[in-house]
Amino acid sequence: MNDPQIIVALDFPDTAPALALVDQLDPLTCRLKVGKELFIRGGPQFVESVQAQGFQIFLDLKFHDIPNTVAAACRAAADLDVWMINVHALGGLQMMEAAAAAVASHPNRPLCIGVTVLTSLDTSDLRDIGLTGNPAENVEQLAALAEQAGLDGVVCSASEATHLRRSHNADFKLVTPGIRPAGMDVNDQKRIMTPSQAVAAGASYLVVGRPITRADDPLQVLDAINAELTEQ
Ligand code: C5P
């Protein structure tokens, strides 16, 4: 099956501009990420409408609750026939096991990945919430726990991917944001990699937002990224 590595982040305040962008993209060359804001605005109906155009969806709702509640939310998300969902690894081993079990028995099983440490948190923020060690150490530990729980992978920065790829086999998906094609605006991202650098570091899928969503010609940027990856 065709397996595009680029996931376009549909970070729009409402469905109209999101649909206008989707109309310019090609489901053979990308997947789409729908996050909290757009899902709250557009709901399952928005997801279904872009799926009807052939796109596979990463439903980025980052569930974090007691195991029973997260399992139920994962089942409900899987019922939307989305390609990928995610949960917070900080919900703990039992919560992640419940999420993995919930999707495992689903006829249209989505991938379920863990969010390790939010990139907005530094060492001092972690100390404030009672976690010792730096973000990288916590990412390592939470990624190992996610794999132990039976999750399919984690979201991580491309710089973390290098290390995680050494301790996890090739099937463990590393989904990396913070991607910027060479020469493009960095926006508010602090640690970035180009698409080819991220894949070389071990990334399985790349989340790309503004370089595509704010481009004059989104399809041309997407094609250029895919060409860069093919040439690798
Ligand atoms: O526009 P840009 O390419 O920076 O968008 C990146 C996307 O990845 C956004 O949806 C952002 O919320 C998400 N993300 C991120 N960094 C993380 C986790 C998610 O940039 N650590």
Side-chain angles (χ1 to χ4, degrees):
M1 195 208 113
N2 184 48
D3 185 20
Q5 279 182 292
I6 304 301
I7 305 170
V8 178
L10 293 181
D11 293 324
F12 291 101
D14 213 333
T15 55
L19 287 169
L21 174 78
V22 172
D23 279 344
Q24 299 176 67
L25 299 176
D26 178 352
L28 292 177
T29 59
C30 68
R31 294 179 163 103
L32 305 174
K33 180 169 89 70
V34 175
K36 292 185 178 81
E37 183 181 23
L38 189 55
F39 190 70
I40 289 168
R41 299 276 181 208
Q45 200 186 346
F46 174 79
V47 170
E48 282 158 18
S49 70
V50 290
Q51 284 172 326
Q53 296 182 56
F55 289 93
Q56 291 191 313
I57 305 298
F58 170 18
L59 191 60
D60 179 19
L61 299 182
K62 298 187 181 73
F63 298 133
H64 189 174
D65 210 312
I66 59 171
N68 185 57
T69 302
V70 164
C74 288
R75 269 191 296 275
D79 283 345
L80 297 177
D81 292 336
V82 293
W83 166 71
M84 180 181 275
I85 62 173
N86 58 2
V87 301
H88 268 287
L90 281 166
L93 182 63
Q94 284 177 19
M95 190 209 79
M96 288 192 282
E97 284 174 341
V103 299
S105 58
H106 198 276
N108 215 349
R109 178 196 183 307
L111 295 170
C112 183
I113 61 169
V115 176
T116 55
V117 179
L118 295 171
T119 44
S120 51
L121 302 177
D122 62 18
T123 303
S124 120
D125 296 314
L126 294 183
R127 201 169 309 123
D128 287 345
I129 55 175
L131 292 175
T132 53
N134 62 32
E137 289 159 346
N138 281 279
V139 166
E140 280 287 314
Q141 183 167 343
L142 290 167
L145 201 64
E147 183 160 35
Q148 187 188 334
L151 294 194
D152 298 295
V154 290
V155 185
C156 65
S157 71
S159 54
E160 291 157 359
T162 313
H163 208 74
L164 289 177
R165 186 47 78 210
R166 285 193 211 117
S167 41
H168 298 268
N169 68 29
D171 286 344
F172 194 71
K173 316 287 187 223
L174 301 180
V175 179
T176 61
I179 303 298
R180 289 294 178 271
M184 281 206 140
D185 198 340
V186 170
N187 309 110
D188 55 357
Q189 295 284 8
K190 296 207 172 94
R191 284 169 292 138
I192 55 157
M193 280 199 194
T194 66
S196 49
Q197 284 170 339
V199 170
S204 319
Y205 298 105
L206 315 181
V207 176
V208 186
R210 288 160 289 182
I212 291 174
T213 60
R214 296 198 183 166
D216 291 334
D217 186 344
L219 190 59
Q220 185 262 324
V221 176
L222 179 59
D223 287 347
I225 294 173
N226 280 315
E228 177 182 330
L229 296 181
T230 309
E231 280 160 19
Q232 246 188 344

